[in-house]
Every structure is written in C-alpha cells, then in structure tokens.
Amino acid sequence: MTVAGIISAIIVGLIIGVLGRLVAPGKQGIPIWLTILIGIIAAFIGTAIARGLGYADTAGIDWLEVLTQVVLAAIGVSIAAGAYGRRGVTR
C-alpha cells in the first residue's frame, strides 16, 4: 500500500466511522474520536477482506468494498459502545 493509499484509507475511514455509527442500532455512548478510529480500522480491514476475496479492484466505485467497510464499522461501533458503556457502571 502506498502513502497515498494510506492517506485515502484514513479519509475514507473517517466517513466510514460516521456511517457505521449511523447504521449501528441504538444509542452509542462513545466519543466521536473513538468512532473515527473504529472507522479507520474498519476501512483497512474491509479493504484487506475485499482484496482477499477478489472484489476490491473493479471499475468505478467498489460498492461491495464500501459495504464491507460500513458493516465492519457498525459492528465495531456496537462492540465499542457496549464495552465503553459498561466501563462507567459500578455495582
């Protein structure tokens, strides 16, 4: 992956994180920086999955790759919201 590829993955990751937060069910009590970080990680993992399965390099926009990234971000946001929300609960 080139430097330009990494920079574009970070920018796409910002958007993916926000989309993942919108798609994730329920209220997410996590900070926006964590959502963005999850989006960046989901963008990298989603791209790796898409390349591994062979659908990352198509003509035009790779909609399946974007969908994979958004689903991973939604799952990541949901997991982080659950873990982050339990952190403040004392019994």
Side-chain angles (χ1 to χ4, degrees):
M1 187 174 264
T2 64
V3 173
I6 292 172
I7 292 171
S8 65
I10 291 171
I11 292 169
V12 169
L14 297 171
I15 298 166
I16 295 295
V18 173
L19 289 175
R21 188 175 183 134
L22 291 174
V23 172
K27 184 177 185 288
Q28 295 82 34
I30 59 174
I32 192 69
W33 65 265
L34 185 55
T35 301
I36 292 169
L37 181 65
I38 291 168
I40 292 169
I41 293 168
F44 280 112
I45 295 172
T47 298
I49 291 171
R51 286 191 179 163
L53 296 177
Y55 62 86
D57 295 321
T58 60
I61 298 174
D62 297 323
W63 291 109
L64 288 175
E65 181 179 357
V66 171
L67 180 64
T68 303
Q69 293 169 336
V70 171
V71 168
L72 287 173
I75 292 169
V77 166
S78 295
I79 291 170
Y84 198 83
R86 281 194 297 263
R87 192 179 80 167
V89 176
T90 57
R91 292 183 189 214

